[in-house]
Amino acid sequence: MRILFICLLITLPLFVLAQNNNAPSSYDIHDIKITGYLQTQFQVAQSPGIFSWSGGDFSPNSSSRFMLRRGRLKVDRVDKFSSVVFQLDGTQDGLRIMDAFIQFHNPQDKSLLFTAGLFNRPFGYSIVYSSGYRDFPERARVFQTLMPRERDLGAMISYRPKKILHFITAELAVVNGSGLNARDYDSNKDIIGNLNFKFDSLTNKKLHVGFGASIYKGTVRSNTDTYLKPVENGFVSVTDESNVGYNFRRDYYGANLQLEYNNSFGSTTLKSEYIQGKQPGVAASSSISGLAASQSFATQPTTNLYLRNFNGYFIWFTQQIAHTKLTAIVGYDVYDPNTDVDESEIGKVGSNTTAGDIKFSTLGYGVTYALNGRLKLTIYNEHVHNNGTQLTNYQNDIKDNVFTTRLQYRW
């Protein structure tokens, strides 16, 4: 395996450390510090019982709901040689651990960090960026599908030079691959690398630029003697006893870009991230929705694997309104779980395609209003689109748009 792709994250000033989930509130030596945020929201769906990435699926007979989207309580402590971070998430669905990791560092130079425990996968930009600071209600559909709940268990080495090449951070992680709060269901481990650069204060401190590349090399174990490999406009099944216990490749390649310009009208930002690769999934069925068919697994998949080539991306644009507390936001994201098939061919007899192969795009727009330094109101509307297929329930665009009003308090 010749993957030693160095990963870099953005070198951030101390106040931005809070925006990086894989860090304490500050690396200055301190005793127990408690931070967190609460997000409460009201949502209206275009039709009852829709499958959705905007905070989860709606109940079968409901098209509106109040919910606690996130209730984070983060405890951290930093001493001369190490730091510890422990974060909980409490919602109407219960309480769960989100982060639990220990970091070691040289007391004279914190450029090199070793992290062990449960932490955000160090892939790209949006996965590690805290939901308490993100302008948009949710991460893009493609990242929610491939890396659900963002975290994994493992170990990571980070290098953030403080003097020479201070605009670079490098991270290399080895993780279970089964995600947050999940036990590893095979002996293989996944490798993640992320390489990013950040240049602040360009053109008289008005322009800020960040960009980078990422890689994920992993596997998914097959539990059956049959898998489905992609061909033009569908899949063909391959059956062999040796397929039982075989580990199929799970490979992602990504690139990201962030631009911020402080102009006379207010701060303007453009953020984008692209990802493509191979994702072993399953077929959509009566028990597995099309949204979940290409999702990464937390437990051993028991049905035949479908090997899909995928791609996806998002573009986020924000514009502060005349240096006020009001910001306009526009987002667009696309996730194509199967780039080898056209939507018009999905469901065709003999193609072995299912709803798990449908491409979705989402156009969102809205505003945020920072009532003060801690309290923020977000109003956001999402238009979700898919082309028609030959499948009975997916011959036209699904009525799955979502409107969200959210109030967030951060401390």
Side-chain angles (χ1 to χ4, degrees), residues 312-330:
Y313 64 89
F314 70 81
I315 300 172
W316 290 340
F317 176 82
T318 71
Q319 176 62 61
Q320 184 186 18
I321 307 299
H323 292 285
T324 66
K325 297 180 180 180
L326 192 66
T327 300
I329 59 176
V330 179

Side-chain angles (χ1 to χ4, degrees), residues 22 27 100-104 113-119 154-158 160 171-172:
N22 288 341
Y27 280 108
F101 60 84
I102 300 170
Q103 288 184 336
F104 297 95
L113 297 172
F114 175 78
T115 305
L118 177 66
F119 51 82
M156 173 172 61
I157 296 176
S158 309
R160 300 177 179 137
E171 294 178 335
L172 184 67

Side-chain angles (χ1 to χ4, degrees), residues 171-191:
E171 294 178 335
L172 184 67
V174 180
V175 298
N176 281 342
S178 48
L180 172 68
N181 290 351
R183 297 181 179 181
D184 200 2
Y185 57 81
D186 61 22
S187 298
N188 284 14
K189 300 294 174 282
D190 296 356
I191 298 176

Side-chain angles (χ1 to χ4, degrees), residues 4 6 36 45 49 51 77 107 111 129 175-176 182 185 207 223 242 256 303 320 341 347 349 355 365 378 401 411:
L4 276 204
I6 308 175
F51 299 114
R77 183 182 187 277
S111 296
Y129 196 80
V175 298
N176 281 342
Y185 57 81
L207 179 64
N223 205 48
S242 64
N256 61 83
T303 56
Q320 184 186 18
V341 63
V349 176
Y365 51 87
T378 301
N401 299 342
W411 66 90

Side-chain angles (χ1 to χ4, degrees), residues 185-316:
Y185 57 81
D186 61 22
S187 298
N188 284 14
K189 300 294 174 282
D190 296 356
I191 298 176
I192 310 173
N194 188 32
L195 178 62
N196 272 319
F197 301 82
K198 186 175 178 67
F199 299 93
D200 282 320
S201 304
L202 302 176
T203 62
N204 296 322
K205 300 183 179 181
K206 292 184 177 181
L207 179 64
H208 310 277
V209 179
F211 58 90
S214 311
I215 191 168
Y216 187 111
K217 302 294 287 187
T219 61
V220 175
R221 180 186 178 277
S222 171
N223 205 48
T224 71
D225 62 1
T226 300
Y227 72 90
L228 285 294
K229 73 174 184 179
V231 294
E232 186 177 2
N233 293 327
F235 296 93
V236 62
S237 63
V238 179
T239 301
D240 192 298
E241 291 183 1
S242 64
N243 291 331
V244 179
Y246 187 81
N247 288 279
F248 289 94
R249 301 304 311 170
R250 173 191 178 192
D251 297 338
Y252 311 153
Y253 305 92
N256 61 83
L257 172 69
Q258 306 87 48
L259 301 173
E260 180 179 356
Y261 183 63
N262 300 317
N263 53 72
S264 58
F265 191 68
S267 178
T268 303
T269 68
L270 178 67
K271 300 178 180 180
S272 183
E273 193 161 358
Y274 174 84
I275 183 172
Q276 68 176 42
K278 300 179 182 297
Q279 173 78 343
V282 296
S285 65
S286 58
S287 59
I288 299 177
S289 71
L291 275 67
S294 62
Q295 194 173 31
S296 296
F297 301 105
T299 58
Q300 170 68 60
T302 56
T303 56
N304 297 336
L305 293 182
Y306 281 62
L307 310 186
R308 297 183 174 98
N309 297 306
F310 74 90
N311 64 26
Y313 64 89
F314 70 81
I315 300 172
W316 290 340

